[in-house]
Amino acid sequence: MDKLIIRGRTQLKGEVVVSGSKNASLPILAATLLTDEPCVIRGVPHLRDTITMLKILRSLGKEVFFDNGVAKVNSTRKHSVVADYKLVSTMRASFCVLGPLIGKYKEAKVSLPGGCIIGVRPVDLHLKGLKALGVDIKIDAGYVIACAKSLKGGYIYLGGTFGSSVLATDNLLMAAVLGKGKTIIEAAACEPEVQDLAAFLVKMGAKVKGHGTPIIEIEGVKRLHGAEHKIIPDRIEAGTFMVAALMTRGDILIKNVNFQHLGAVIDKLLESGASVRKSDSSLRVYSRRRLHSVNVTTLPYPGFPTDMQAQMMSLMSVTPGVSVITEKVYPDRFMHVAELNRMGASIQREGPSAIVEGVKQLSGAPVMASDLRASASLVLAGLAAKGTTSISRIYHLERGYENLDIKLQQLGACIKREKE
Ligand code: UD1
């Protein structure tokens, strides 16, 4: 296992290119199960999670070639409808093969993903939606066993206690595109990654309207054909580099950005006093003066993304003033608090909120990554801290950031990878 060693307090300067979105790639790769024809997906980041999805596609009977960000997915003569526990348990998003399998083959056996470090993470909304499409669902020995004589269109209200669900919306979209008649998903997730999936499905011949709004309408078609698609840029990776620029008092040009997807993040950083300059598909981020604290509440898109909460907390931990950070999507997503405090931050958790009192200086320390975005917040803290930070268990980071250490090195950071 590798760890990252960071010597902090180097200003980051220069240009960085954001990779394709992990959270768009995963359901889009799963959607290739909906057709027997070849599909070509470009801009797929080389990550632990995308590699896991490609392994799952192979286990389901696809032939996959992946090189230089291009995934070519072809069919073989045999297919399987069983997504095994071993693969699904390593990545929750594997559960999004359920929708396309039931859509295409009218049967599926997919392992339940279980909880994870950021919370309980149920799948009730996925199952409720599939039932509304006429799918019979049983849970047996840790698997969801789904079958349907035919999929009928239906009305699905997808709102849950914590808003809508991104992967449930993806699953239902992918099931309904090959259903009979019209399906309406109300309280659908509006995230750009859902929009990108819908755009790919439309290229495959699906009839989908309203994606990007809370009401999605799908008119089922008999079959879908192969298609080519380029994945949207990763808005969370872009947001993480924006914070990196500010935490090191640097000046970075972040390329391959769709800033329309980053409205809430840009707004919060501007409110804290940062300078953010937009041009074409780039963002320049820097700060000429000291930032001041801002309150942040995470919400489903277009609200402030929960996947940027930990990084924002790192920034607020070195920003003068008191900031209240409230998590409304995953109320238990605060694993990074204890580790940031070990680096000298002053953060107190109060239920679904954290009260962050900005300190003058963090100090480097050995810390442990607990989940993907928590790991990113520790890297950011390490970049700003005095002294050396070593971050163990960085396989979490490798799930979601393509070549993060190399990209940071190119921006001037003193960061290296070592064997634990
Ligand atoms: C996706 C993203 C993840 C992001 C999250 C929220 C992918 C691969 N992952 O995860 O990075 O943090 O959206 O933006 O795209 N919930 C239920 N019942 C369900 C499903 C979800 O109660 O059936 C709850 C969850 O526990 C959570 C909230 O709804 O509190 C949002 O979760 P959801 O949008 O489903 O997250 P994912 O799609 O798994």
Side-chain angles (χ1 to χ4, degrees):
M1 240 188 282
D2 288 355
K3 61 179 177 181
L4 282 180
I5 312 288
I6 304 171
R7 197 158 49 77
R9 302 194 78 180
T10 326
Q11 283 188 323
L12 298 191
K13 290 217 161 109
E15 295 181 3
V16 65
V17 181
V18 170
S19 301
S21 158
K22 165 180 92 72
N23 287 354
S25 299
L26 298 174
I28 286 174
L29 289 170
T32 63
L33 291 165
L34 287 163
T35 179
D36 294 326
E37 295 181 13
C39 292
V40 180
I41 317 296
R42 298 180 198 283
V44 177
H46 191 283
L47 301 169
R48 216 170 252 266
D49 277 9
T50 48
I51 297 300
T52 302
M53 181 52 84
L54 297 178
K55 278 188 196 156
I56 291 173
L57 292 183
R58 285 191 190 107
S59 77
L60 296 172
K62 291 287 190 188
E63 185 185 44
V64 182
F65 303 95
F66 184 47
D67 186 34
N68 207 10
V70 183
K72 294 182 180 165
V73 186
N74 300 326
S75 291
T76 59
R77 280 201 195 142
K78 275 193 180 165
H79 77 263
S80 159
V81 294
V82 183
D84 194 66
Y85 174 70
K86 270 193 206 132
L87 287 169
V88 177
S89 60
T90 60
M91 178 182 77
R92 242 192 92 80
S94 326
F95 198 65
C96 72
V97 297
L98 178 60
L101 286 177
I102 193 77
K104 177 82 165 43
Y105 302 111
K106 312 294 175 263
E107 56 172 342
K109 184 176 170 188
V110 178
S111 171
L112 278 165
C116 75
I117 194 98
I118 66 171
V120 184
R121 303 189 83 176
V123 292
D124 55 314
L125 296 172
H126 301 239
L127 304 186
K128 171 184 159 186
L130 288 176
K131 284 181 191 161
L133 298 179
V135 180
D136 185 42
I137 305 260
K138 271 193 227 125
I139 309 283
D140 187 33
Y143 279 81
V144 173
I145 301 175
C147 63
K149 277 207 181 79
S150 72
L151 278 184
K152 56 182 176 63
Y155 166 80
I156 304 163
Y157 180 79
L158 211 54
T161 318
F162 302 105
S164 192
S165 161
V166 174
L167 285 176
T169 306
D170 291 343
N171 254 333
L172 295 171
L173 249 173
M174 290 189 276
V177 284
L178 288 177
K180 276 189 189 150
K182 189 177 196 166
T183 295
I184 295 182
I185 308 176
E186 209 177 310
C190 303
E191 270 69 3
E193 296 76 20
V194 176
Q195 298 177 40
D196 205 29
L197 169 65
F200 177 57
L201 293 171
V202 168
K203 286 181 187 167
M204 295 174 88
K207 292 190 177 157
V208 182
K209 281 198 298 199
H211 39 291
T213 79
I215 302 180
I216 303 182
E217 270 184 47
I218 303 139
E219 191 68 51
V221 296
K222 282 215 168 102
R223 59 181 294 279
L224 295 178
H225 51 75
E228 286 201 27
H229 188 72
K230 177 142 193 282
I231 300 287
I232 54 169
D234 197 303
R235 62 192 167 109
I236 306 302
E237 189 193 347
T240 305
F241 281 117
M242 293 173 79
V243 173
L246 298 170
M247 285 190 75
T248 61
R249 309 236 181 124
D251 186 341
I252 308 185
L253 185 69
I254 307 166
K255 292 181 155 178
N256 190 31
V257 178
N258 184 334
F259 40 76
Q260 279 162 1
H261 297 165
L262 278 159
V265 174
I266 294 174
D267 186 65
K268 269 297 151 195
L269 295 179
L270 288 174
E271 188 188 329
S272 74
S275 297
V276 180
R277 303 263 175 272
K278 305 176 187 171
S279 63
D280 296 331
S281 57
S282 305
L283 277 180
R284 184 178 157 210
V285 183
Y286 60 95
S287 175
R288 294 274 174 262
R289 51 205 154 116
R290 205 129 166 84
L291 300 186
H292 51 84
S293 61
V294 288
N295 296 334
V296 179
T297 300
T298 67
L299 286 169
Y301 189 82
F304 191 92
T306 172
D307 286 351
M308 277 298 298
Q309 180 255 105
Q311 300 89 314
M312 198 64 186
M313 194 177 296
S314 260
L315 178 62
M316 288 301 110
S317 72
V318 288
T319 301
V322 174
S323 153
V324 180
I325 298 187
T326 304
E327 179 53 70
K328 292 249 171 125
V329 180
Y330 292 111
D332 285 323
R333 194 176 201 173
F334 288 109
M335 307 315 279
H336 40 286
V337 167
E339 298 301 287
L340 290 173
N341 281 345
R342 295 191 67 247
M343 297 178 70
S346 173
I347 309 170
Q348 204 181 328
R349 183 170 166 194
E350 297 276 351
S353 298
I355 320 295
V356 187
E357 205 180 323
V359 295
K360 273 208 176 115
Q361 181 72 67
L362 294 175
S363 58
V367 288
M368 202 177 277
S370 56
D371 70 79
L372 170 55
R373 307 304 169 185
S375 316
S377 75
L378 298 178
V379 171
L380 294 168
L383 291 171
K386 191 172 169 204
T388 302
T389 298
S390 73
I391 306 176
S392 50
R393 296 200 184 162
I394 58 157
Y395 55 85
H396 290 293
L397 265 183
E398 291 162 354
R399 286 191 37 227
Y401 289 92
E402 192 176 44
N403 300 328
L404 183 65
D405 47 339
I406 297 170
K407 288 183 182 182
L408 286 171
Q409 274 166 10
Q410 286 164 355
L411 291 168
C414 288
I415 179 170
K416 63 178 180 186
R417 194 180 267 265
E418 268 182 13
K419 289 262 170 271
E420 286 214 62

